[in-house]
Amino acid sequence: GSGKSAAADLFASLGAAVVDTDAIAHELTRPGGAAIPRVRELFGDGAIAPDGAMDRRKVRELVFTDPSAKRKLEAILHPMIGNEALRQAAAAGDRPVVFDVPLLASSSHWRQRVARVLVVDCDESTQVKRVMQRSGWSEAQVRKVIAQQSSRATRRAMADAVIYNDGLSMQQLQAAVQRVSHCWSGAMQRTQIVV
């Protein structure tokens, strides 16, 4: 709900190749996705929706109540996501690469893989409203998910730059992304950035 993916899209409009790790995760867990057999093996048929995709709602509830289930799911998905992200980055040729990574602060290996980290930040109340509007979740559900994530202070502390996206129009967010891109233009010749 911070506007991270919107910022990544704006980098794409400036010519960067965006590698969206959340989209990769969705692809891996769609019907017939590469992670489905292992998810079924570890979590049972109840973790698979009638269409053959991972039942994201059921698995989300499971991992938020059982830390060992979360570790098992991450052990399945993270290596697959990492391999596909690196494949997509290699396919970008000479274009700068922007990795769109949710939960960046809890995935420490990304910091060593990239030249710069941009955090798109907003107040928690704004984040809650945006996620509720986007997903249809209740406020309690959104706050439960946020409570499981790294704090805003932790995310901001690992950043090379922060865009504070609270109350910004799309044009203002675009201007902020352009400023960051311009400041990093020397590094943008062939670099990898994570947002």
Side-chain angles (χ1 to χ4, degrees), residues 123-134:
D123 288 340
E124 186 174 304
S125 61
T126 301
Q127 186 180 12
V128 169
K129 288 177 195 170
R130 288 175 180 165
V131 174
M132 287 172 63
Q133 289 172 348
R134 179 183 71 209

Side-chain angles (χ1 to χ4, degrees), residues 8-114:
D9 290 344
L10 291 167
F11 274 108
S13 74
L14 296 173
V18 174
V19 177
D20 183 339
T21 60
D22 198 40
I24 293 170
H26 280 273
E27 184 67 19
L28 291 168
T29 58
R30 69 171 176 75
I36 292 298
R38 191 79 173 115
V39 169
R40 186 187 306 274
E41 178 185 331
L42 285 179
F43 300 110
D45 289 336
I48 308 300
D51 68 354
M54 183 178 78
D55 188 322
R56 296 179 78 78
R57 184 189 57 78
K58 285 183 182 176
V59 172
R60 184 183 314 111
E61 289 171 5
L62 177 63
V63 300
F64 282 126
T65 58
D66 181 354
S68 69
K70 181 180 179 184
R71 287 190 297 275
K72 288 177 185 176
L73 183 64
E74 289 172 346
I76 296 168
L77 293 179
H78 286 188
M80 292 176 150
I81 293 167
N83 289 338
E84 177 59 17
L86 293 177
R87 188 199 68 74
Q88 289 183 23
D94 291 335
R95 294 167 55 202
V97 177
V98 173
F99 292 95
D100 181 349
V101 181
L103 309 178
L104 171 66
S106 59
S107 303
S108 60
H109 68 277
W110 282 105
R111 190 60 182 110
Q112 288 77 40
R113 290 184 178 181
V114 298

Side-chain angles (χ1 to χ4, degrees), residues 90-172:
D94 291 335
R95 294 167 55 202
V97 177
V98 173
F99 292 95
D100 181 349
V101 181
L103 309 178
L104 171 66
S106 59
S107 303
S108 60
H109 68 277
W110 282 105
R111 190 60 182 110
Q112 288 77 40
R113 290 184 178 181
V114 298
R116 305 275 192 278
V117 172
L118 168 64
V119 169
V120 181
D121 186 37
C122 66
D123 288 340
E124 186 174 304
S125 61
T126 301
Q127 186 180 12
V128 169
K129 288 177 195 170
R130 288 175 180 165
V131 174
M132 287 172 63
Q133 289 172 348
R134 179 183 71 209
S135 67
W137 294 358
S138 69
E139 181 175 348
Q141 287 173 302
V142 176
R143 290 195 182 279
K144 185 175 180 180
V145 170
I146 290 172
Q148 297 286 323
Q149 298 175 351
S150 299
S151 70
R152 287 179 64 207
T154 300
R155 291 192 304 270
R156 291 171 69 100
M158 69 184 305
D160 295 299
V162 175
I163 293 176
Y164 182 64
N165 184 29
D166 208 318
L168 295 184
S169 67
M170 188 53 77
Q171 292 77 18
Q172 290 168 321

